[in-house]
Amino acid sequence: MSEKIRPKSAIVVGAGVGGVATAARLAKAGFNVTVLEKNDFTGGRCSLIHHKGYRFDQGPSLLLLPKLFEEAFNDLGTSLKSEGVDLVKCEPNYNIWFGDGESFELSTDVARMKREVEKWEGKDGFERYLAFLQEAHRHYEISVKEVLKKNFTSILSMTRPSFLRHLLALHPFESIYSRASKYFWTERLRRVFTFGSMYMGMSPFDAPGTYSLLQYTELAEGIWYPKGGFHKIIEALVNIGERYGVEYRLSTPVSSIKLSSGNKRAEGVTLSTGETLTADVVIINADLVYAYNNLLPPSSGAKSLEKRSSSCSSISFYWAMDRIIPELTAHNIFLADDYRESFDDIFKKQLIPQQPSFYVNVPTRVDPSAAPKEKDAIVVLCPVGHLLDSGADRGLNPQNKQDWEAMVKKARDAVFNAVEKRTGASISDNITKEIVNTPQSWKETLNLDKGAILGLSHSFFNVLCFRPSTRHPNIQSLHFVGASTHPGTGVPICLAGSKVTSEQVLEGFGIEAPWSDRQKTHDKHTKEIDREHALPMLSNIHIALLVLLAMVITWMCKLGFLDGIALCNLRYTGRSYRSIPSQ
């Protein structure tokens, strides 16, 4: 009897969304998978904070690009609904509040958007809005197909004809703000349709125009919220993984990656307790810059990563309220009057702006279970510069505790003042409990380099083949998944990244991904009535007219009519017919 083939083994370091999704995928492919997480909870930034019946999303609080979630669960042989994930649509998407007392309501409702846009830019403004959506639609569809679902392992990856022919259509060399300015002619609407770059941790004046796809998915597909909190997504992926045999070990910090002699191959990990675990492949879902500089031997590559531009950080407040605040909807954006200057303070000076733009989430509007009856839970995210490990004279100095107290107070007061002035709601006296996250706490709790909540920046030379690879360039059997590797940051993007990384791992072992035929199978079952049939470029009438035109031209040539036309042309231009040399 032949010896039974030993299943391959994998260790995943970190239980963020990319880590738990990759673990589930590899387990489905037959791997023995162990996930190691330093904290006593899964999800990383996608975790929950609880306090006496109040529930707060520590990080993401809105679900975008729902099709990427559906695809991930479908690949794993299940669905969101089957896993008990109940998505609720948020309507309107946002209320955007301005300093002059005006507001703008963003919605998937076309009639509502027509009214809102025309209020500021008239009938032509709505037509330009539709043109903006058309461009953003192209950004979205091309990016999902050619970027999020494909790996970029080298500069040659960017020469793929399927990608290269679309490159300029993605407008990567123009900013979101400059592209929006083409379609929106008032400063108010330019701000309305560009603030979303904050999701990438970037200024709209620097973020590539490609990322208008974020506005598109909100306006075309809507904003959703999982009942019970965003961690429901993580919880479902963990449950799926456990059904496939994934072992989760929480409160288990990793101190280093175990390498072979000569540091050529990853062979496992060493825990902070000194325990050593071995595996055929290691996937790191911890912060990538942290991992290179703390879990691996020192290298020039690790040091260069520290010098790359990072996303912003945040001061986040989690407030338990003693009453409902009716003036606030589920998602509220408060934009600074000095729009550009506020972003420059964050991204160029690494400061907290004098007048910050900030986001206020009230989950109880769509999920009353987030707070006790007749009360609200409120989350405030105030973007600030990331930590500077040197240069105490500016930015966020991690060595000076008094700076933190002053900056938190400054952010809190700015939120109270803006909310009251713009909505009429006074909320400072209704807070029964406050929990705060700062750049320092983000760094300490989640090992985020510089406290940057969205990893490395997404400027052009920090994406595609320029972004740190999903596979270590020099160490075999060592892979990465998460915000700072390809394809980038954000929960749906990291979900897409888990598929890219998993397929790369499987390819290295010569194993076909068990989900690769699912789409083909779906296509085979498409009914004939639902098949797409491309119309011919020319109808029969067009063809008949072209044939007739060709016959007329031939007849005119035979009768010399065209020679007469040429002679008239020559005389008209003052040239002599005889001056033309004979052929």
Side-chain angles (χ1 to χ4, degrees), residues 518-536:
R518 294 188 70 85
Q519 186 60 45
K520 296 176 185 176
T521 303
H522 176 268
D523 291 342
K524 287 179 183 177
H525 290 86
T526 302
K527 296 178 182 178
E528 182 60 33
I529 195 172
D530 297 318
R531 292 189 182 278
E532 294 183 358
H533 301 279
L535 291 173

Side-chain angles (χ1 to χ4, degrees), residues 361-427:
N361 170 232
V362 188
T364 33
R365 291 294 169 276
V366 290
D367 184 4
S369 69
K373 191 175 181 181
E374 299 300 319
K375 293 176 173 58
D376 267 340
I378 293 180
V379 179
V380 179
L381 188 151
C382 183
V384 298
H386 59 63
L387 289 168
L388 294 174
D389 292 329
S390 60
D393 59 321
R394 67 184 183 92
L396 307 183
N397 178 14
Q399 306 305 321
N400 191 335
K401 186 177 180 180
Q402 285 187 330
D403 278 359
W404 291 117
E405 293 174 355
M407 283 185 294
V408 168
K409 182 180 186 305
K410 180 178 178 180
R412 184 191 296 112
D413 290 344
V415 171
F416 288 158
N417 292 336
V419 170
E420 183 168 7
K421 178 184 175 185
R422 302 184 191 189
T423 72
S426 176
I427 61 176

Side-chain angles (χ1 to χ4, degrees), residues 10 80 111 114 134 174 196 239 255 274 301 315 347 393 405 417 445 456 458 469 515 519 530 555 559 564 573 580:
L80 290 162
K114 185 175 188 293
Q134 184 179 40
E174 298 177 72
N239 291 339
S255 61
I315 293 175
F347 296 102
D393 59 321
E405 293 174 355
N417 292 336
T445 305
L456 293 175
H458 285 75
S469 176
W515 51 83
Q519 186 60 45
D530 297 318
W555 176 73
L559 295 180
T573 56
I580 301 175

Side-chain angles (χ1 to χ4, degrees), residues 135-144 169-171 209-210 212-213:
E135 177 178 293
H137 169 77
R138 287 195 298 270
H139 290 169
Y140 172 86
E141 295 295 344
I142 295 170
S143 295
V144 169
L170 290 172
H171 301 105
T210 313
S212 65
L213 65 88

Side-chain angles (χ1 to χ4, degrees), residues 253-416:
V254 171
S255 61
S256 65
I257 306 299
K258 185 177 182 294
L259 303 177
S260 65
S261 110
N263 297 338
K264 296 297 184 184
R265 177 183 293 275
E267 296 183 336
V269 300
T270 301
L271 306 182
S272 60
T273 59
E275 180 185 357
T276 296
L277 304 176
T278 60
D280 295 307
V281 63
V282 176
I283 300 96
I284 296 180
N285 181 225
D287 182 86
L288 185 139
V289 180
Y290 169 85
Y292 264 88
N293 284 278
N294 293 273
L295 303 183
L296 293 169
S299 67
S300 58
K303 292 301 178 186
S304 69
L305 283 174
E306 289 185 311
K307 297 176 182 177
R308 288 207 188 196
S309 58
S310 296
S311 61
C312 66
S313 188
S314 79
I315 293 175
S316 296
F317 299 101
Y318 310 88
W319 291 331
M321 310 300 292
D322 65 5
R323 68 179 181 92
I324 290 175
I325 313 298
E327 294 86 350
L328 296 174
T329 55
H331 304 291
N332 306 266
I333 300 290
F334 292 80
L335 295 179
D337 292 333
D338 298 325
Y339 190 61
R340 182 163 197 154
E341 290 79 359
S342 69
F343 284 111
D344 286 346
D345 282 345
I346 296 171
F347 296 102
K348 293 184 178 179
K349 301 175 183 177
Q350 305 306 330
L351 297 168
I352 178 171
Q354 190 63 35
Q355 185 194 49
S357 296
F358 58 91
Y359 161 68
V360 177
N361 170 232
V362 188
T364 33
R365 291 294 169 276
V366 290
D367 184 4
S369 69
K373 191 175 181 181
E374 299 300 319
K375 293 176 173 58
D376 267 340
I378 293 180
V379 179
V380 179
L381 188 151
C382 183
V384 298
H386 59 63
L387 289 168
L388 294 174
D389 292 329
S390 60
D393 59 321
R394 67 184 183 92
L396 307 183
N397 178 14
Q399 306 305 321
N400 191 335
K401 186 177 180 180
Q402 285 187 330
D403 278 359
W404 291 117
E405 293 174 355
M407 283 185 294
V408 168
K409 182 180 186 305
K410 180 178 178 180
R412 184 191 296 112
D413 290 344
V415 171
F416 288 158

Side-chain angles (χ1 to χ4, degrees), residues 142-307:
I142 295 170
S143 295
V144 169
K145 182 180 179 182
E146 301 297 337
V147 178
L148 300 185
K149 295 185 177 182
K150 295 184 179 178
N151 212 338
F152 286 75
T153 55
S154 71
I155 192 73
L156 293 177
S157 303
M158 291 182 62
T159 63
R160 284 194 295 255
S162 61
F163 171 75
L164 202 56
R165 67 191 179 94
H166 293 301
L167 181 60
L168 294 181
L170 290 172
H171 301 105
F173 307 113
E174 298 177 72
S175 71
I176 288 180
Y177 189 86
S178 67
R179 290 308 303 171
S181 297
K182 176 182 176 183
Y183 300 102
F184 304 108
W185 295 356
T186 63
E187 179 62 21
R188 190 183 303 275
L189 292 203
R190 289 172 181 176
R191 296 180 182 188
V192 165
F193 291 99
T194 61
F195 75 86
S197 65
M198 290 192 292
Y199 298 148
M200 311 298 292
M202 294 190 71
S203 163
F205 300 95
D206 298 320
T210 313
Y211 296 126
S212 65
L213 65 88
L214 294 170
Q215 278 76 25
Y216 172 79
T217 184
E218 291 177 347
L219 294 164
E221 298 176 330
I223 289 176
W224 301 79
Y225 183 75
K227 273 192 172 181
F230 212 103
H231 189 261
K232 284 292 182 183
I233 300 291
I234 310 300
E235 183 182 310
L237 290 169
V238 169
N239 291 339
I240 295 167
E242 288 180 333
R243 289 204 300 271
Y244 285 123
V246 176
E247 178 189 4
Y248 280 88
R249 293 180 59 176
L250 305 183
S251 302
T252 308
V254 171
S255 61
S256 65
I257 306 299
K258 185 177 182 294
L259 303 177
S260 65
S261 110
N263 297 338
K264 296 297 184 184
R265 177 183 293 275
E267 296 183 336
V269 300
T270 301
L271 306 182
S272 60
T273 59
E275 180 185 357
T276 296
L277 304 176
T278 60
D280 295 307
V281 63
V282 176
I283 300 96
I284 296 180
N285 181 225
D287 182 86
L288 185 139
V289 180
Y290 169 85
Y292 264 88
N293 284 278
N294 293 273
L295 303 183
L296 293 169
S299 67
S300 58
K303 292 301 178 186
S304 69
L305 283 174
E306 289 185 311
K307 297 176 182 177

